[in-house]
């Protein structure tokens, strides 16, 4: 083959193509890509047949390294072209997360709300938190606290008025 004998290339191809295709396919995971890589292997082999040194490797090991390296090169090239986009495309990438300013503002509001809740009388504070966070009705709250329904409504109404005044201040 080093002397340009096409028949020698055909013989080498017939004896090694299945194994080399397997190497390419295992690395690339795509039959078409593996076939393209295999073709490049034999083209490269045709051009570099004279550089084969039987003292360094067996013929199949030498060919297998050709196939492995070519497949890895194709894989890296495909990743680079797939992963790279122009910088201008970054402007159109949406981010669903709230901005740092929005998070800070919400944290500040939550802190104010909890601070204001802490200023309420305990029965109003517990009733409001339970009503809003646990979803209990006035009747259920009154039953838990063992107070008349009207008393529970008054505690919550007065507590909400105090809460509003504190938050508006």
């Amino acid at each position: 083959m080093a002397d340009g004998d096409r028949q020698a290339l055909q013989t080498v191809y017939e004896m090694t193509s299945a194994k080399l295709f397997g190497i390419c396919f295992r690395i690339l995971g795509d039959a078409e890509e593996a076939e393209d890589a295999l073709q490049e292997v034999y083209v490269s082999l045709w051009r570099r047949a004279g550089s084969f040194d039987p003292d360094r490797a067996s013929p199949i090991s030498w060919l297998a390294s050709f196939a492995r390296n070519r497949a890895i090169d194709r894989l890296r090239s495909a990743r680079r072209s797939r992963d790279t986009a122009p910088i201008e495309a970054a402007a159109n990438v949406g981010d669903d997360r709230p901005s740092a300013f929005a998070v800070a503002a919400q944290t500040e509001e939550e802190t104010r709300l909890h601070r204001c809740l802490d200023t309420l009388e305990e029965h109003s504070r517990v009733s409001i938190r339970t009503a809003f966070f646990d979803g209990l009705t006035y009747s259920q709250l009154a039953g838990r606290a063992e107070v008349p329904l009207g008393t529970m409504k008054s505690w919550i109404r007065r507590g909400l008025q105090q809460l509003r005044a504190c938050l508006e201040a």
Side-chain angles (χ1 to χ4, degrees):
M1 212 167 59
D3 296 330
D5 183 356
R6 291 178 187 255
Q7 184 59 42
L9 176 62
Q10 183 175 346
T11 302
V12 170
Y13 179 84
E14 289 170 358
M15 295 174 64
T16 61
S17 62
K19 181 175 182 69
L20 299 183
F21 176 79
I23 292 169
C24 294
F25 183 74
R26 196 174 16 213
I27 293 170
L28 295 166
D30 179 78
E32 287 184 29
E33 284 291 319
E35 288 171 1
D36 289 345
L38 187 63
Q39 180 180 359
E40 291 174 10
V41 167
Y42 286 105
V43 168
S44 182
L45 173 65
W46 178 253
R47 290 183 183 145
R48 297 181 56 199
S51 67
F52 173 68
D53 182 1
D55 293 333
R56 293 185 66 201
S58 69
I60 193 64
S61 296
W62 190 61
L63 292 172
S65 68
F66 261 97
R68 179 182 172 277
N69 293 340
R70 178 59 58 197
I72 290 171
D73 289 346
R74 288 184 71 84
L75 188 63
R76 287 179 180 155
S77 176
R79 282 186 184 156
R80 264 195 304 273
S81 65
R82 190 172 49 240
D83 292 343
T84 305
I87 191 67
E88 293 80 22
N92 298 326
V93 175
D95 187 359
D96 295 339
R97 295 176 297 177
S99 68
F101 178 76
V103 169
Q106 182 174 352
T107 302
E108 184 180 322
E109 284 182 26
E110 289 173 5
T111 301
R112 279 187 60 213
L113 176 62
H114 287 291
R115 196 175 315 123
C116 287
L117 274 169
D118 289 339
T119 65
L120 302 178
E121 294 178 29
E122 184 178 354
H123 58 80
S124 291
R125 179 177 59 248
V126 169
S127 299
I128 290 171
R129 282 188 171 150
T130 305
F132 283 95
F133 298 124
D134 295 341
L136 295 177
T137 64
Y138 287 122
S139 300
Q140 292 168 325
L141 291 168
R144 273 194 182 179
E146 299 177 352
V147 296
L149 180 61
T151 301
M152 181 56 64
K153 288 180 177 181
S154 294
W155 285 355
I156 291 177
R157 186 178 63 251
R158 278 196 305 264
L160 289 174
Q161 288 171 342
Q162 291 170 346
L163 192 59
R164 182 184 312 140
C166 178
L167 289 172
E168 288 175 353

